[in-house]
Amino acid sequence: MDSPTQPREVQATKTSFRLIEAIQESGGAGVSELASRLDLAKSTVVYHLTTLERQEYLVQEGSEYHLGLRFFKLGQDAMGRRLPDAARKKVKDLAAKTDAEADYSVEEYGYIVLLYDQADSSAEPGFKTGSHHRMHNNAAGKAILATWDDSRVDEYVTQVGLPTRTEHTIGSRAELLEELAQVREQGYALNDEEYMRGYRSVSMVVDDADGGVYGALTVGGPSYRVSRETLQTEFRVPLAQAVDELRTELESSYPR
């Protein structure tokens, strides 16, 4: 039952978004596939798909529906709100200085969202621009989690359950809290093949004087050329410099 202090959710709207997400995950899908996958009546699926197509959010190709380019404009607008030009420039500069992959990410709804990525020609990109990642299995996520108090971290743990991706991924609350305490002490977070095997990175938050967080800058690369020592020595210094410079620019241009 809905709380008297909370507005009710519209189930039809939720169904439309479930269909949109299923189409995105499948790379295109037909009515029967969607009805079976989401346990919906075919007639319900048809009504929603027809409405979304007429609003130009879906396109039909043969028997399959695909996302329309209207989503591209919405995504650009959403990204532009959280990705200042100064962050793009710092990412490019950081990638050039370290000869590695650099990126800028923000947190939203318990996910790390990669907004901008720049890799030197010799680097191997580990993530994709626009991708969403759980926070406990990567450097940017842990850097931002370390700015939260334990009660908020507990809410995150309850929400996601700390699923593991590799044998190095943090899988328990105690381990996560211990890691975050270390991040707070040293001022940076490491990803040592925790999101995927063969990739390491180091990240720092870009915060303001009041403790608010704009996002996180990260630099990393394939483990065959980036060791933990490389992260903590060669990469950490230019990363810290880039964070300080970006913080100054954002505080003057985007006061919180």
Side-chain angles (χ1 to χ4, degrees):
M1 180 178 295
D2 292 308
S3 167
T5 61
Q6 294 291 330
R8 295 179 59 186
E9 295 182 343
V10 179
Q11 292 302 315
T13 303
K14 292 178 68 175
T15 299
S16 287
F17 279 111
R18 289 178 65 204
L19 286 163
I20 289 169
E21 291 173 353
I23 291 170
Q24 185 271 326
E25 291 168 1
S26 301
V31 172
S32 296
E33 177 185 346
L34 291 167
S36 175
R37 178 174 176 178
L38 301 180
D39 193 23
L40 295 170
K42 287 186 179 181
S43 59
T44 299
V45 173
V46 170
Y47 292 147
H48 282 271
L49 296 183
T50 299
T51 301
L52 289 166
E53 182 185 18
R54 289 178 179 173
Q55 296 300 312
E56 301 179 355
Y57 285 100
L58 296 180
V59 294
Q60 185 176 7
E61 298 177 1
S63 62
E64 289 191 340
Y65 287 84
H66 298 265
L67 300 186
L69 291 177
R70 184 177 287 265
F71 282 108
F72 181 69
K73 177 63 167 63
L74 295 178
Q76 281 189 315
D77 289 347
M79 184 174 70
R81 184 177 62 86
R82 301 289 300 274
L83 178 62
D85 290 339
R88 296 175 188 263
K89 184 178 185 303
K90 290 304 174 191
V91 168
K92 291 179 181 179
D93 291 346
L94 188 57
K97 287 181 180 179
T98 58
D99 190 27
E101 180 186 12
D103 62 63
Y104 180 76
S105 303
V106 299
E107 180 272 334
E108 188 172 79
Y109 293 119
Y111 286 92
I112 282 296
V113 186
L114 193 154
L115 295 186
Y116 190 72
D117 174 90
Q118 183 74 31
D120 180 82
S121 59
S122 62
E124 296 183 4
F127 302 101
K128 181 180 179 181
T129 300
S131 57
H132 287 54
H133 308 278
R134 287 303 186 185
M135 300 179 69
H136 64 284
N137 60 27
N138 59 83
K142 290 190 292 183
I144 293 179
L145 278 173
T147 68
W148 295 3
D149 59 30
D150 286 353
S151 63
R152 190 176 178 187
V153 173
D154 282 342
E155 290 179 5
Y156 170 81
V157 173
T158 300
Q159 175 189 355
V160 306
L162 301 182
T164 59
R165 291 183 57 92
T166 76
E167 64 272 23
H168 303 295
T169 307
I170 292 173
S172 71
R173 175 184 180 277
E175 187 181 4
L176 178 60
L177 292 178
E178 181 179 357
E179 175 85 358
L180 296 182
Q182 183 176 355
V183 172
R184 294 182 188 110
E185 180 179 352
Q186 63 193 17
Y188 60 88
L190 299 179
N191 165 23
D192 190 357
E193 300 187 295
E194 296 164 52
Y195 180 78
M196 65 181 180
R197 296 181 185 88
Y199 192 86
R200 294 189 176 102
S201 59
V202 57
S203 183
M204 294 182 179
V205 293
V206 183
D207 54 6
D208 61 22
D210 297 323
V213 175
Y214 292 104
L217 278 176
T218 305
V219 60
S223 56
Y224 68 80
R225 60 186 291 258
V226 177
S227 65
R228 284 181 66 95
E229 182 180 1
T230 300
L231 295 176
Q232 294 171 304
T233 55
E234 296 179 29
F235 286 0
R236 184 172 61 85
V237 173
L239 173 62
Q241 180 180 358
V243 166
D244 287 342
E245 293 172 352
L246 181 56
R247 178 188 297 114
T248 299
E249 293 184 43
L250 293 183
E251 284 186 326
S252 61
S253 303
Y254 300 89
R256 301 180 69 89

